[in-house]
Amino acid sequence: MDALALEATSTKKPANGVPAPAPAKRKPAKKTKKAVVFFEVEILDAKTKDKLCFLDKVEPNATIGEIKSMFHKSHPQWYPTRQSIRLDAKGKSLKDEDVLQHLPVGTTATFYFRDLGAQISWVTVFLTEYTGPLVLYLMFYFRVPFIYASKYDFSTSKHWVVHLACMCHSFHFLKRNLETLFVHRFSHGTMPLRNIFKNCTYYWGFAAWMAYYINHPLYTPPIYGEQQIRLALILFLFCQIGNFSIHIALRNLRPPGSKTRKIPYPTKNPFTWIFVLVSCPNYTYELGSWLGFTLMTQCLPVAFFTLVGFIQMTVWAKGKHRSYLKEFRDYPPLRSPILPFIL
Amino acid sequence: MSAAAPGTSKAAHGDVAGKKKKGPGALATAYLVIYNVVMTAGWLVIAVGLVRAYLARGSYHGLYYSIEKPLKFFQTGALLEIVHCAVGIVPSSVVLTGFQVMSRVFLTWAVTHSVREVQSEDSVLLFVSAWTITEIIRYSFYTFSLLNHLPYLIKWARYTFFFALYPMGVTGELLTIYAALPFVQKTGLYSVTLPNKYNFSFDYYSFLIIVMISYIPLFPQLYFHMIRQRKKVLGHAEDYSKVE
């Protein structure tokens, strides 16, 4: 250890700035330079406690993100996004933005590492899981061979609601893809690789299941006919616009490239006024869209998909609502997670 | 899936070295003791019923009819165990317990009860016997654990008998479902066809085949889980005295 670091640990002086009246025998630091106390970082495996990496001469204002890059150099198989660095072997992960000298560590910092497993970017996952339904539904709509009896190959449904449903479904997933590319600002860059298999099975599976029935030669149109379809379409479009409005409002809360979190409030757009009553209106509108689609197609598998999606979104909304309450003292008390006053 | 429930369920004063365990309160413990005693008794009734029927008839055939009612009653009663987990008086996973119980209830009602023709199959006796022995041991295990007087024999039995009982039960279940297939196909039992106003269809025959296939990944997982639990629980035999 160099003399300055040794002195710093023994006297516990703050790292920045104070030139050392050195009892050390080194030649005195130049008067024009502030003495910088470098940190040392050792990284241990959280499970085995093996010493994996030792970094010396780490700048005190280094971020966890920079430390991850340094660790990556010595262990190239663990790229930064798959590293979880914690102060405590069983504790929470530190954030990339956390600064070394602001953490409760001495000048020799000990961190624990856990491998998060292979990672994949959120954008990649979203695009893949949304493009599947888009393509699959169209395959059923155009009655590609081997799905229905061969006499129906490449035929079209005689019910106009089936054409409408195809337009709505395709629009919905196209919208999702475009939002992924141009609207959303993600808090996390990556997620575990196994999620893509789980998510794609869910989206693609349900899309194929509903598309099969809606585009089936024996499809039965809604009982109440045009009235039902018109109401359903209005609900669907209203909620699509609403959902989009919320996504835009949330995007505008966050400057590009940042991960800041702020309380969302109603804007000039009337579709955002629902923020008065709900924390996660994007989910509320999404539920509404799928209820509309269920009504439009009068198809039980669509109802199942709507139900499962609703359950999942409620879990997410409750989590988000709880985080908001924890983070912001002044969080509006009138808001519910997903359904005004109810849930 | 039949046989012993996976060892994730630890009774209040369990066999594995205690971590922080906020066990059930006194009232819950009393209720659970009663529940487990009743279930032990119930499955003993089924066991005795099987033995008596065998002795009376002199053959293994058609013993299902002699224990049909208590089997349905006590196996269905196990649904309460899901509630126990949900409410928190039993420290097990709701999902895992739910899965176990539902698979038993499915076999009892949706296969054996619903397809009359399989009731005289020997495969039914195979899984019913496996379930009976397993449940008698399991429920007495819970009873004694709750009372803090678990005889080593019961603990040993619970984590050893499954070696044979589990495959026995699974075989009986699979053979029974397989036997039911032709009748389900012929009668279209529980099946819905197009066209209908809900634009939905369900083929119970295909569903049963999928259930059978699902045993392939699921059975080894549960089996090896029990083996791991056994090592953990019985591996400490040297450390603990014979009586808990």
Side-chain angles (χ1 to χ4, degrees):
Chain A
M1 267 206 266
D2 76 299
L4 289 172
L6 185 60
E7 186 185 57
T9 43
S10 55
T11 60
K12 292 233 180 339
K13 275 212 267 260
N16 26 346
V18 181
K25 308 300 179 273
R26 298 283 176 95
K27 64 175 194 276
K30 295 208 195 81
K31 295 285 191 318
T32 48
K33 238 199 209 167
K34 280 194 193 161
V36 172
V37 179
F38 287 109
F39 278 63
E40 296 176 327
V41 171
E42 64 168 1
I43 302 182
L44 310 178
D45 183 299
K47 272 192 268 207
T48 64
K49 311 289 194 293
D50 290 341
K51 199 150 69 168
L52 296 171
C53 177
F54 186 82
L55 305 163
D56 62 358
K57 285 255 179 39
V58 181
E59 300 265 339
N61 59 0
T63 62
I64 293 292
E66 288 163 0
I67 290 172
K68 284 184 180 177
S69 304
M70 292 187 249
F71 186 40
H72 173 44
K73 286 205 188 70
S74 63
H75 289 83
Q77 75 277 24
W78 290 324
Y79 40 88
T81 45
R82 79 187 269 181
Q83 296 176 30
S84 164
I85 302 288
R86 314 99 173 256
L87 286 167
D88 192 42
K90 300 208 176 126
K92 274 178 53 175
S93 248
L94 293 169
K95 298 200 262 267
D96 281 5
E97 305 80 58
D98 289 338
V99 174
L100 184 56
Q101 63 185 356
H102 297 149
L103 293 170
V105 292
T107 47
T108 301
T110 302
F111 292 124
Y112 293 92
F113 160 77
R114 216 171 71 92
D115 181 15
L116 296 171
Q119 298 285 300
I120 186 168
S121 80
W122 273 60
V123 173
T124 308
V125 174
F126 273 32
L127 291 178
T128 316
E129 70 189 13
Y130 297 155
T131 307
L134 192 56
V135 170
L136 283 168
Y137 193 103
L138 288 170
M139 288 172 66
F140 286 88
Y141 175 75
F142 288 114
R143 296 191 182 153
V144 152
F146 301 109
I147 301 177
Y148 305 110
S150 56
K151 69 178 174 185
Y152 296 112
D153 288 350
F154 297 116
S155 62
T156 45
S157 174
K158 59 185 183 222
H159 307 289
W160 68 273
V161 66
V162 171
H163 309 305
L164 182 63
C166 182
M167 288 189 268
C168 290
H169 187 271
S170 305
F171 170 77
H172 179 78
F173 284 98
L174 195 58
K175 168 178 161 290
R176 286 212 198 187
N177 269 342
L178 293 173
E179 285 172 338
T180 303
L181 290 168
F182 301 116
V183 177
H184 295 317
R185 293 216 163 105
F186 296 102
S187 304
H188 304 282
T190 67
M191 64 168 89
L193 182 64
R194 80 189 83 92
N195 278 15
I196 195 171
F197 301 108
K198 198 168 45 108
N199 292 11
C200 285
T201 306
Y202 172 78
Y203 279 104
W204 296 22
F206 263 115
W209 194 37
M210 8 172 170
Y212 175 79
Y213 290 106
I214 299 170
N215 300 294
H216 200 283
L218 296 177
Y219 171 76
T220 310
I223 307 181
Y224 297 106
E226 213 157 301
Q227 270 186 324
Q228 184 173 338
I229 299 169
R230 194 176 304 131
L231 176 64
L233 181 61
I234 293 170
L235 176 61
F236 177 80
L237 288 175
F238 183 88
C239 292
Q240 289 289 281
I241 300 171
N243 177 265
F244 180 70
S245 306
I246 301 300
H247 287 159
I248 294 290
L250 290 172
R251 170 200 172 81
N252 291 337
L253 282 183
R254 182 175 269 187
S258 81
K259 295 182 185 179
T260 49
R261 275 185 311 282
K262 306 211 306 252
I263 303 178
Y265 283 106
T267 68
K268 291 206 189 66
N269 180 345
F271 285 97
T272 64
W273 295 353
I274 190 176
F275 269 121
V276 173
L277 297 175
V278 163
S279 289
C280 301
N282 49 319
Y283 296 142
T284 318
Y285 281 122
E286 185 70 17
L287 172 66
S289 299
W290 286 104
L291 282 174
F293 194 67
T294 307
L295 199 62
M296 190 191 297
T297 56
Q298 199 171 291
C299 176
L300 195 57
V302 180
F304 277 130
F305 178 68
T306 307
L307 178 65
V308 176
F310 173 57
I311 293 172
Q312 175 66 89
M313 289 191 291
T314 302
V315 169
W316 289 335
K318 283 186 171 237
K320 192 102 195 83
H321 184 78
R322 225 174 298 128
S323 319
Y324 277 144
L325 287 173
K326 245 189 2 187
E327 186 164 357
F328 303 111
R329 290 282 117 117
D330 55 338
Y331 195 73
L334 193 60
R335 295 190 189 183
S336 308
I338 186 173
L339 295 180
F341 308 117
I342 307 174
L343 203 52
Chain B
M1 230 78 54
S2 72
T8 47
S9 52
K10 304 178 194 106
H13 298 273
D15 33 355
V16 182
K19 303 183 195 176
K20 62 149 176 109
K21 235 187 288 259
K22 44 164 193 143
L27 185 61
T29 307
Y31 160 75
L32 284 172
V33 169
I34 295 172
Y35 173 80
N36 285 303
V37 165
V38 168
M39 293 305 257
T40 311
W43 286 94
L44 278 166
V45 164
I46 295 171
V48 166
L50 283 170
V51 171
R52 288 182 63 178
Y54 169 68
L55 291 173
R57 292 170 196 240
S59 102
Y60 292 111
H61 261 42
L63 295 183
Y64 169 78
Y65 301 102
S66 52
I67 43 83
E68 181 179 5
K69 286 211 175 32
L71 175 69
K72 285 176 176 172
F73 181 79
F74 289 101
Q75 185 58 82
T76 312
L79 285 169
L80 280 173
E81 285 165 51
I82 306 176
V83 179
H84 297 165
C85 294
V87 165
I89 55 178
V90 170
S92 285
S93 138
V94 177
V95 172
L96 211 54
T97 308
F99 181 76
Q100 285 273 112
V101 176
M102 287 312 294
S103 76
R104 288 283 193 92
V105 167
F106 176 78
L107 246 124
T108 306
W109 289 100
V111 181
T112 314
H113 166 80
S114 302
V115 187
R116 241 168 278 282
E117 293 86 346
V118 307
Q119 289 168 6
S120 49
E121 292 279 330
D122 290 341
S123 55
V124 174
L125 178 63
L126 194 57
F127 76 74
V128 170
S129 321
W131 290 6
T132 306
I133 303 171
T134 304
E135 297 301 66
I136 293 171
I137 299 172
R138 183 168 76 96
Y139 286 116
S140 42
F141 174 90
Y142 291 147
T143 309
F144 286 117
S145 299
L146 284 164
L147 296 171
N148 258 311
H149 271 96
L150 179 67
Y152 182 75
L153 181 64
I154 306 273
K155 180 157 77 175
W156 180 88
R158 186 191 177 196
Y159 285 101
T160 306
F161 279 35
F162 80 90
F163 273 119
L165 291 177
Y166 209 9
M168 199 171 120
V170 166
T171 308
E173 292 171 27
L174 283 173
L175 286 172
T176 307
I177 299 174
Y178 185 73
L181 287 177
F183 301 104
V184 169
Q185 186 167 52
K186 197 167 56 154
T187 62
L189 180 68
Y190 299 147
S191 302
V192 177
T193 54
L194 291 177
N196 59 71
K197 65 181 175 192
Y198 298 112
N199 292 303
F200 176 70
S201 67
F202 181 69
D203 182 25
Y204 193 46
Y205 176 82
S206 307
F207 179 73
L208 285 176
I209 293 182
I210 292 171
V211 167
M212 288 177 72
I213 295 175
S214 74
Y215 273 67
I216 300 176
L218 291 173
F219 165 68
Q221 283 190 47
L222 291 168
Y223 198 59
F224 290 124
H225 175 83
M226 277 307 276
I227 294 178
R228 263 177 280 131
Q229 285 299 108
R230 181 174 197 271
K231 276 201 190 67
K232 255 202 311 185
V233 170
L234 296 183
H236 292 294
E238 322 80 84
D239 304 344
Y240 294 6
S241 56
K242 285 241 159 166
V243 177
E244 160 70 2

